[in-house]
Amino acid sequence: MDESTKRLLQRLMRRIPTQMLRTTLDKWGRLTGEQLQSMDFTQSKWALTEKLLAICEENELAVKHITELEMIYIIDNPNQGMWYAFQLMDPEDDAHSVELTQFKEQFKSHLRELIRHVSVKIKKHTDEAVWIRIAWGDTFSRPNHMKPTYVVHSLQTPYVFVTSLTSKQKPLLSQALVLSARYQAIKDANLSGRKLTAIRDLLMRQYHQVFPTRYPTPLAENNQTVSNQHIEREQAVPAANRLQAAYEAFGGGMLPQLQSAVYKLETKFRDHSNKTMTEREEPFRCVVKFASTNLLESLRHCASSGIASTPVTPLLSSIPLKGKNYFVITDNGPGPSSQMRQPQN
Amino acid sequence: MDGASTKGVLSHLSLLEVQARSRKTQPQQPSRVKELKAKAEALMTQRDQLKAEIETHKSLQKLRASMDKQRTHEEEEEEMAEDSDNSQLLRLMARHTQLKDLLHAHDIIGGYNIIKTRKGKGLCISLTTAYNGVYLENYNLEMDLKPTLRISRDNIPPFIPLKSLAEQSNMQTDIRTLLDPLSQHLNAFAARKQQFKLVKELHKSVQVMESNALCSLLVLMFTVPREKTAVLCSLEYTDHTRCLPTRVHFECEDKGLPDSPQWKKNGSLLMETPVHKALITMKKMGDIV
C-alpha cells in the first residue's frame, strides 16, 4: 500500500466512530474471520488503525478497497456534511425505462469523456437508491480520494442529492447525470440540509402528510399542563382548528429535520414612519434566515400554539409544499399584487 | 239579358229563403255540441291537473330545499310531525329526487371520496389503493376551485406522472379524465409494490437482485434444484397501468435452459400470473428451489 492509500485509511479510521467500526468492517467483507477477531476494539483508535493497516498490507488491499470501505460507512451514516438537492428536468421518452446497469455504464462513460482522470464507484443501496462516489483528478493529476463527491439518485425520480461538490466540478457532474438518466436539463432544487434522509424524505413525500377529511382522526397533541379549565373550554375549538391547520401545512408525526430556511428579499421597503428608506427606488435587499435543530417541527409548533397565525402563510408552508428552503422574494409588479409578497421559483 | 240576371237573383233569393227556413226548423246538431262540450270539459280537467302538478312541484321544491339545508347542517333530526298522507307522500317524493341527484353526482365524480374545504373554495380528493382485497395506501389531492380547477397539494409519489396526467386530461370539464387514469397508475403501482414485498417475504430462496422505486423492474435469481444452476430472471413492467409484466427474460449459464419447453412455460406463467403466485407454482413443479 502506498503512502496516499495509507493516509486515506488513517483519515477514514479517524472518521468512523469506534462503536461502528466492527459492523462496518464486517460489511466490508475484506477481512477474514480470524483477522476480524484479532482486532481488539477496546484499544485506542490509533492502535486499531495500526492493526488495520497491517491487515490491509497482509491482504494486499489497494485504494479501491479502501474507498469501498468509505462508501459503506457513508451509506450507513449519510447524515453528515451538507447535502444539496437537484432536480432533473424534461425527461426524454425513455427516461422511465432506464435501468441500473444501463445507467451505471452510461454515467461512467460520459464522465470519463468529460474528464480524463476520474474514479467512479457506483453502488445500489437496498432502498433502490443509486450511490455514486467520484474522486476527481484533472489532466495532470490522479484522482484525489481525499475529497470525493457523493451523489445519490433514485432512478425514475427526478431528484439527485449531492455532497462535497465544487463549482468547477458541478457542470461536469450535471452533464453526466443528465445524459445517463435521459433528461434534458438539471437545476438546483433550492433545498439543502445536513441530513440526507430528511431532504430526501421531504422531496419524495415520505413523511406523514395530513389532508382534510370528512372524519378527521384526532391529531397527536403534546401533554399540556391544564392551567385553567375555563381557558381550556373556551379555547378548545380554536386550538383544535389551529392544530389542524398546522398539521395540514407541515405534516403529522415526525417531520424531516431541516436546519434552516433562507429568504432573500428583494422588495421595496415599506414603513411609513421611515421616509428616507421608503422613498428609495431600489428594492431593500436583505436576507432572513430561520435556524433550528428541527425547523419544520418548530414552525408547526408556532402555528399550532398560535404564535404564527393560521391559515399558515404560504411563505412558511412553501417549505414542505415545494420542498425548498431557499427562496427569493420580489415584489410582484404594480397594483394590488405588489402588496403581497410571493415566493418566487 | 234582363231575364237571365233576374232569374239569377230570384233563384239565389229563393235558395237563401230555403236555407233560412231549414235552419229554423233543424235541431242544432247535438252530437257536435256534445263533442265540443266534452272537449271543453277535458281541457278544463287537464288544466286543473296541470295546476295541481305545478302546486305539487312547488311544494316539493320547497321541501327539497329545506331537506338539503337540513343535510348540510349535519343531519339534524327531521321533525316527523303527524303529517297527512299527502304531505308524507310529498316528503317521500322529495327524498327520492334528492337521492337520484346524489347518485348522479356520485357517478360524475366516479365514486372517489371528495370533500369541500376552505368554505367551498377548495376540494380534497382521496384515492384509495387496494390489492387482493386488502386496502393499501391512501393518496390525496388538494385542489383550488378558482379561478380554474388546479392541484395545490398532493402526496402522490414523484415517479407517478401526475403533472403530465393532469395536462393530458380534460379536468376542467370532467374531473374523471384525471382521476381515473391517476387511480389506475396508483393502483397498479400499489399492486406491483405489494407483489415485490410478498416475493421477499414468502420466497426467501429466491434472491431479489434489483428493483426500483417505481416497481417497474424486478430482477430475481433462481436456483435450479439438483444441478444448482443459477437462473437470472428479469421482469419488466413497462406498462405502468398494469400489475403484470410486459417482458420476461431468463439468463443462464446453460444456454439451452431458457429455450426448454419447461422454462418457456414458466415464462408465460410469469407474464400471466402475479409474480409471488407464479413462484409458488414454479416451486411446486420443481423448477426452482
Side-chain angles (χ1 to χ4, degrees), chain B residues 24-283:
Chain B
K24 271 191 204 143
T25 50
Q26 249 186 5
Q28 287 278 27
Q29 287 191 1
S31 57
R32 177 87 178 123
V33 169
K34 252 200 206 154
E35 220 179 88
L36 289 168
K37 269 197 177 146
K39 196 162 181 197
E41 286 256 2
L43 282 170
M44 275 194 285
T45 38
Q46 196 182 29
R47 177 202 66 189
D48 290 336
Q49 209 173 41
L50 283 171
K51 263 194 187 161
E53 270 183 34
I54 290 175
E55 280 307 314
T56 322
H57 192 73
K58 272 195 194 153
S59 42
L60 211 66
Q61 272 189 333
K62 249 193 254 167
L63 201 57
R64 173 68 196 275
S66 77
M67 266 189 163
D68 283 345
K69 223 191 276 176
Q70 275 187 338
R71 263 189 105 241
T72 58
H73 288 124
E74 292 305 322
E75 273 93 64
E76 287 166 11
E77 283 302 310
E78 278 182 41
E79 287 170 16
M80 274 323 208
E82 285 303 312
D83 299 313
S84 62
D85 284 336
N86 204 20
S87 66
Q88 268 206 354
L89 182 64
L90 273 180
R91 213 177 267 281
L92 274 175
M93 286 171 74
R95 185 84 179 117
H96 179 232
T97 57
Q98 199 181 44
L99 289 173
K100 268 177 75 176
D101 284 348
L102 203 62
L103 207 60
H104 183 57
H106 197 254
D107 265 342
I108 295 178
I109 64 172
Y112 299 103
N113 237 343
I114 301 189
I115 63 165
K116 279 198 288 198
T117 58
R118 289 176 282 138
K119 298 189 177 53
K121 284 192 273 184
L123 290 177
C124 185
I125 308 177
S126 192
L127 295 124
T128 49
T129 56
Y131 182 62
N132 254 358
V134 177
Y135 274 114
L136 302 165
E137 292 269 346
N138 248 17
Y139 295 98
N140 293 279
L141 288 176
E142 233 187 305
M143 306 184 92
D144 290 331
L145 288 171
K146 304 210 177 90
T148 52
L149 191 64
R150 71 175 193 102
I151 303 173
S152 61
R153 190 160 80 99
D154 66 86
N155 66 346
I156 313 274
F159 39 76
I160 304 282
L162 176 63
K163 201 154 156 236
S164 70
L165 284 176
E167 280 165 13
Q168 284 165 22
S169 78
N170 202 5
M171 68 188 216
Q172 301 298 332
T173 42
D174 182 2
I175 199 169
R176 287 189 62 182
T177 53
L178 167 62
L179 296 181
D180 288 348
L182 182 60
S183 177
Q184 228 184 354
H185 271 84
L186 288 171
N187 271 287
F189 162 65
R192 295 193 304 267
K193 189 166 156 195
Q194 186 71 350
Q195 284 177 37
F196 290 14
K197 183 166 163 237
L198 289 170
V199 166
K200 287 190 186 149
E201 280 174 18
L202 304 173
H203 302 282
K204 301 269 189 311
S205 58
V206 173
Q207 201 185 355
V208 175
M209 304 296 290
E210 196 189 325
S211 66
N212 61 0
L214 176 55
C215 298
S216 61
L217 176 67
L218 186 64
V219 180
L220 302 170
M221 179 82 91
F222 299 140
T223 321
V224 178
R226 290 182 301 276
E227 297 100 51
K228 301 279 190 239
T229 31
V231 181
L232 200 69
C233 170
S234 308
L235 299 164
E236 287 172 27
Y237 300 76
T238 44
D239 185 351
H240 302 146
T241 60
R242 289 177 62 221
C243 55
L244 287 174
T246 45
R247 185 168 170 266
V248 177
H249 182 67
F250 296 116
E251 253 177 69
C252 183
E253 262 193 19
D254 172 6
K255 301 284 179 205
L257 190 139
D259 291 319
S260 66
Q262 192 58 0
W263 280 88
K264 278 219 158 110
K265 236 175 49 183
N266 284 333
S268 20
L269 178 71
L270 285 163
M271 289 281 282
E272 291 155 16
T273 330
V275 57
H276 61 293
K277 290 196 180 144
L279 291 182
I280 297 175
T281 314
M282 284 165 76
K283 276 184 180 171

Side-chain angles (χ1 to χ4, degrees), chain A residues 96-101 124 128 154-159 203-205 209-214 248-249 321, chain B residues 74 115 117 124 140-142 152-159 161 200 210-214 216-217 238 240:
Chain A
H96 270 282
S97 52
V98 171
E99 50 100 30
L100 182 63
T101 351
K124 182 86 176 300
E128 282 90 37
S154 284
L155 294 171
Q156 280 82 46
T157 67
Y159 302 115
L203 282 177
M204 305 279 266
R205 304 252 177 263
Q209 284 181 277
V210 175
F211 285 88
T213 57
R214 205 177 218 324
E248 276 182 30
L321 184 65
Chain B
E74 292 305 322
I115 63 165
T117 58
C124 185
N140 293 279
L141 288 176
E142 233 187 305
S152 61
R153 190 160 80 99
D154 66 86
N155 66 346
I156 313 274
F159 39 76
K200 287 190 186 149
E210 196 189 325
S211 66
N212 61 0
L214 176 55
S216 61
L217 176 67
T238 44
H240 302 146

Side-chain angles (χ1 to χ4, degrees), chain A residues 118-136:
Chain A
V118 69
S119 162
V120 182
K121 221 180 192 58
I122 304 187
K123 196 166 190 274
K124 182 86 176 300
H125 192 42
T126 43
D127 66 354
E128 282 90 37
V130 182
W131 279 75
I132 309 174
R133 178 188 189 276
I134 308 172
W136 307 85

Side-chain angles (χ1 to χ4, degrees), chain A residues 274-290:
Chain A
N274 188 337
K275 277 268 164 14
T276 19
M277 291 300 291
T278 331
E279 274 166 9
R280 291 245 182 101
E281 277 305 312
E282 325 86 55
F284 176 69
R285 291 171 204 277
C286 91
V287 173
V288 178
K289 179 172 174 178
F290 291 86

